[in-house]
Amino acid sequence: MASLSFPTFPNIEKTYTALPNSFFQFTNPTPVSSPNVLLWNDDLAEEFLFDHWRKDDVVTAQFFSGSNLPEAIKPFAQAYAGHQFGHFTMLGDGRTIVMGEFQNRRGEWFDFQWKGSGRTKYSRNGDGRATISAMVREYIMSEAMAGLQIPTTRSLAVVKTGEPVLREEIQEGAVLTRVASSHIRVGTFEYAYQTLSLDELESLFRYTVNRHAPELMVTENPALSFLDFVMKRQVTLVTNWMRVGFIHGVMNTDNMSIAGETIDYGPCAFMNGYFGKRVFSSIDTNGRYAFANQMGIAQWNLACLTNSLLPLIDSNEETAIELAKSKLNELETWFQESYIRMLGEKIGFPNLTEKDLPLLRTLYQWMQDREADFTNTFLVLEGVYTPKDSIYEDSRWKDWVKDWREEKEKQGIREEDAIKLMRKSNPSFIPRNHLVEIALTNVRQGYMSVAEDLIKRSQNPYIREIDYDYGEEVPKGGDSNYQTFCGT
Ligand code: AMP
Ligand code: MG
């Protein structure tokens, strides 16, 4: 194709490529035959000075499918490894390519990356491509996460390629533009620690700290401070997932971002009926990444990160291990405290303590026994939703609500304060599985409006309005047979 005239480009950087060559490879996306923009995120475009680019523009489709690039762009794929279902594996960007780093209006730098843009050095046996369904799904879920105000990578665009992708059936391909604070993963550190030199591990460490928390470089033990930083962000992140009923589904260490953003939307889903062992992913047959396991798995992953940082924590291995162990012990406490605080806020208690936990256990046990909807139950409790579901006539539910009221009174919590807390803790809208599936069926048939409506509703998920249809009456038996898939 003849070279295009691109709209003015914001400043672009590629600081990552100052790292040793072992961390990346310069790679261009593979051009596609007839790109067309399916989804374009106006708000995000505005935030990154891409606002004069348009959904219906030929140049936008060319660039965001990776088919035609201005000279200034030197894209690259990143190397990493990861523990997948507990086993160490060499990976790397098999179907994503970083276009570079762009600044938002506040002057902060973010990676922009094409996903589904063709093979790279790290593709192994994969085709480097992605289906329309998988990329629109990532767009819907990540933007819903942003709407919920939970740290996440964002989605700027989905461009269909006009080319078939062979999965279980043939689907059209698509390229998603993902925006992230960085794409450095726990698995990037494991890769450096396990396969590269100490100098290379140090380069990655310095780069990452400078990028995400430069102030840590002047602390007494920067590696330990960095660990502290990553741990705290993960505690916040996973606590938030537990708050809204989100199951990531594939919390391998390569899918855990150092910056603490939700990343790699593959088999993830929000659950309807509460069930601690809920798993949606077709390959998670042992329930390793089940809903209630997520805090434990985050700790396991952070132990992998800790291990990879040992030589930077102290040159004496024994000392390093001692320091690391005490940090990991703290982590356990942070998770526990953060989880308890979150549980309290969901029922309107600002200072829940361990001794109040039986109250929560009874509620969760009831929800599990009756497959009560995890989102709607808290709306019922707040008094803003009258469900059609008869389980709320249960004496166990009514008794629990009575206990909750009494305890609230005993602790001197004012009604309006409780409501205020519940309002900001409990979403009234999540992208429920049946809604996501309806949207994707439409997308595969060439209709975008259902997906667009869903994305729009997800932007305001804490809304409380009289007569608002919060509930999306959940199909009975809900989503217990729902299945999700990796890498589609
Ligand atoms: P995921 O399960 O999406 O986290 O992917 C695990 C690894 O497989 C990552 O390194 C991906 O880049 C790679 N991968 C997934 N799908 C493909 C594909 N279609 N082609 C090449 N590599 C892929
Ligand atoms: Mg991944």
Side-chain angles (χ1 to χ4, degrees):
M1 175 172 220
S3 76
L4 290 174
S5 148
F6 289 94
T8 34
F9 240 89
N11 284 337
I12 184 164
E13 279 285 358
K14 48 177 190 317
T15 59
Y16 199 77
T17 61
L19 282 172
N21 287 334
S22 43
F23 283 103
F24 66 93
Q25 176 153 71
F26 286 113
T27 315
N28 275 356
T30 310
V32 302
S33 58
S34 44
N36 251 302
V37 184
L38 291 180
L39 291 170
W40 176 254
N41 191 332
D42 280 316
D43 292 345
L44 200 60
E46 216 268 333
E47 201 178 318
F48 281 93
L49 308 162
F50 274 99
D51 37 352
H52 51 297
W53 293 58
R54 296 274 170 266
K55 182 179 175 187
D56 55 4
D57 198 300
V58 174
V59 181
T60 307
Q62 285 290 328
F63 179 71
F64 287 99
S65 63
S67 301
N68 210 306
L69 318 180
E71 292 270 306
I73 297 214
K74 296 273 177 284
F76 57 94
Q78 292 171 318
Y80 55 83
H83 274 88
Q84 298 193 298
F85 291 90
H87 304 285
F88 186 73
T89 322
M90 290 300 286
L91 298 159
D93 286 338
R95 56 168 176 173
T96 58
I97 295 176
V98 181
M99 56 179 88
E101 300 137 24
F102 290 101
Q103 251 174 328
N104 66 12
R105 287 185 187 270
R106 289 186 302 282
E108 299 153 335
W109 291 93
F110 284 76
D111 276 6
F112 277 46
Q113 193 184 61
W114 294 282
K115 183 167 182 179
S117 51
R119 287 179 54 79
T120 73
K121 175 185 173 186
Y122 313 105
S123 295
R124 298 174 294 163
N125 295 321
D127 60 3
R129 291 297 183 190
T131 62
I132 281 193
S133 305
M135 295 303 94
V136 171
R137 194 170 193 280
E138 170 152 351
Y139 189 116
I140 293 172
M141 301 302 269
S142 61
E143 288 308 298
M145 200 60 99
L148 286 160
Q149 290 154 41
I150 297 176
T152 178
T153 62
R154 303 288 305 270
S155 297
L156 178 66
V158 176
V159 184
K160 67 172 177 163
T161 62
E163 293 173 3
V165 174
L166 181 62
R167 295 292 181 262
E168 268 168 18
E169 82 281 24
I170 293 179
Q171 257 201 54
E172 201 173 339
V175 179
L176 171 97
T177 299
R178 174 161 75 183
V179 178
S181 286
S182 83
H183 286 90
I184 304 167
R185 303 144 189 272
V186 167
T188 318
F189 279 88
E190 289 181 285
Y191 164 73
Y193 173 71
Q194 303 269 4
T195 74
L196 306 179
S197 67
L198 182 56
D199 276 354
E200 286 164 308
L201 176 64
E202 266 175 353
S203 313
L204 175 67
F205 174 72
R206 270 195 307 275
Y207 175 81
T208 309
V209 175
N210 277 327
R211 181 150 176 186
H212 290 296
E215 67 281 3
L216 303 183
M217 260 331 185
V218 294
T219 57
E220 193 186 326
N221 187 327
L224 218 48
S225 310
F226 172 64
L227 199 52
D228 198 276
F229 166 88
V230 179
M231 285 176 173
K232 284 188 173 137
R233 289 199 170 194
Q234 285 300 326
V235 169
T236 303
L237 180 65
V238 181
T239 305
N240 273 308
W241 292 351
M242 303 306 288
R243 174 170 65 80
V244 298
F246 178 76
I247 304 171
H248 182 283
V250 62
M251 287 175 73
N252 295 332
T253 55
D254 51 299
N255 294 336
M256 187 184 256
S257 147
I258 290 296
E261 290 171 342
T262 312
I263 192 171
D264 277 2
Y265 290 83
C268 65
F270 290 83
M271 71 179 164
N272 292 339
Y274 175 73
F275 181 47
K277 293 189 177 145
R278 180 77 74 219
V279 166
F280 292 117
S281 168
S282 61
I283 59 168
D284 191 5
T285 41
N286 292 323
R288 180 180 170 92
Y289 300 135
F291 179 70
N293 282 0
Q294 298 187 111
M295 290 195 150
I297 288 292
Q299 290 179 55
W300 194 92
N301 290 351
L302 288 164
C304 290
L305 176 67
T306 307
N307 193 49
S308 302
L309 291 174
L310 284 177
L312 307 179
I313 292 174
D314 202 288
S315 53
N316 178 312
E317 198 181 346
E318 270 174 36
T319 313
I321 290 174
E322 271 317 300
L323 290 167
K325 265 194 189 152
S326 67
K327 189 52 72 192
L328 282 167
N329 286 341
E330 279 184 81
L331 176 66
E332 170 102 43
T333 315
W334 293 338
F335 261 118
Q336 183 70 4
E337 286 172 359
S338 166
Y339 187 58
I340 293 176
R341 192 176 329 113
M342 178 275 286
L343 288 177
E345 290 174 1
K346 277 187 85 65
I347 62 164
F349 285 37
N351 300 306
L352 195 83
T353 59
E354 267 194 85
K355 75 170 180 25
D356 301 315
L357 280 182
L359 184 68
L360 266 302
R361 282 203 195 100
T362 312
L363 171 66
Y364 273 61
Q365 189 62 51
W366 176 81
M367 284 196 289
Q368 176 152 304
D369 292 346
R370 300 311 312 263
E371 285 187 65
D373 187 80
F374 186 66
T375 302
N376 291 349
T377 296
F378 293 94
L379 298 175
V380 176
L381 187 64
E382 192 189 311
V384 292
Y385 178 57
T386 313
K388 297 190 185 88
D389 198 329
S390 61
I391 58 171
Y392 299 98
E393 301 301 322
D394 242 28
S395 58
R396 268 174 81 191
W397 166 253
K398 289 187 168 163
D399 288 349
W400 186 84
V401 173
K402 198 162 145 269
D403 289 349
W404 169 72
R405 283 227 174 82
E406 280 171 14
E407 190 56 38
K408 196 150 53 83
E409 219 158 275
K410 210 164 94 195
Q411 298 198 12
I413 301 165
R414 291 190 318 180
E415 186 68 15
E416 66 253 46
D417 293 337
I419 301 251
K420 213 193 252 170
L421 258 187
M422 293 171 81
R423 220 169 238 220
K424 77 177 199 6
S425 307
N426 300 316
S428 57
F429 187 81
I430 51 164
R432 291 184 186 275
N433 298 321
H434 68 289
L435 301 179
V436 174
E437 288 307 316
I438 295 169
L440 295 181
T441 303
N442 271 270
V443 168
R444 282 193 293 271
Q445 292 166 353
Y447 305 108
M448 294 308 296
S449 64
V450 180
E452 282 165 352
D453 286 348
L454 182 57
I455 292 161
K456 202 150 181 224
R457 278 188 78 178
S458 304
Q459 286 171 348
N460 204 359
Y462 296 99
I463 192 166
R464 302 291 196 266
E465 266 178 24
I466 297 184
D467 292 336
Y468 186 78
D469 172 25
Y470 309 109
E472 296 297 345
E473 289 305 328
V474 185
K476 191 63 193 163
D479 47 17
S480 38
N481 294 320
Y482 185 65
Q483 270 209 328
T484 55
F485 302 91
C486 285
T488 43

